[in-house]
């Protein structure tokens, strides 16, 4: 978790970052999720 830069994730378009526990987190993308998924597939 110490390597997670929440401010940078939000700067890149994340709507929120949920830290679920010591090792897991969820990045909320919102309605742009399809564009992100397509970019990641490339």
């Amino acid at each position: 978790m110490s390597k997670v830069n929440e401010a940078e994730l939000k700067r890149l378009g994340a709507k929120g970052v949920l830290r679920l526990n010591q090792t897991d987190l969820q990045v909320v993308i919102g309605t742009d999720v399809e564009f992100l998924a397509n970019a990641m597939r490339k």
Side-chain angles (χ1 to χ4, degrees):
M1 284 297 169
S2 64
K3 295 180 181 181
V4 176
N5 186 335
E6 189 171 335
E8 183 68 6
L9 288 169
K10 288 182 177 179
R11 187 188 72 75
L12 292 170
K15 305 299 183 206
V17 178
L18 304 172
R19 295 173 187 260
L20 304 174
N21 56 42
Q22 295 292 338
T23 59
D24 299 313
L25 67 110
Q26 181 177 8
V27 179
V28 179
I29 303 300
T31 58
D32 295 329
V33 71
E34 192 63 34
F35 300 110
L36 177 61
N38 289 336
M40 290 174 69
R41 285 187 195 105
K42 291 178 184 179

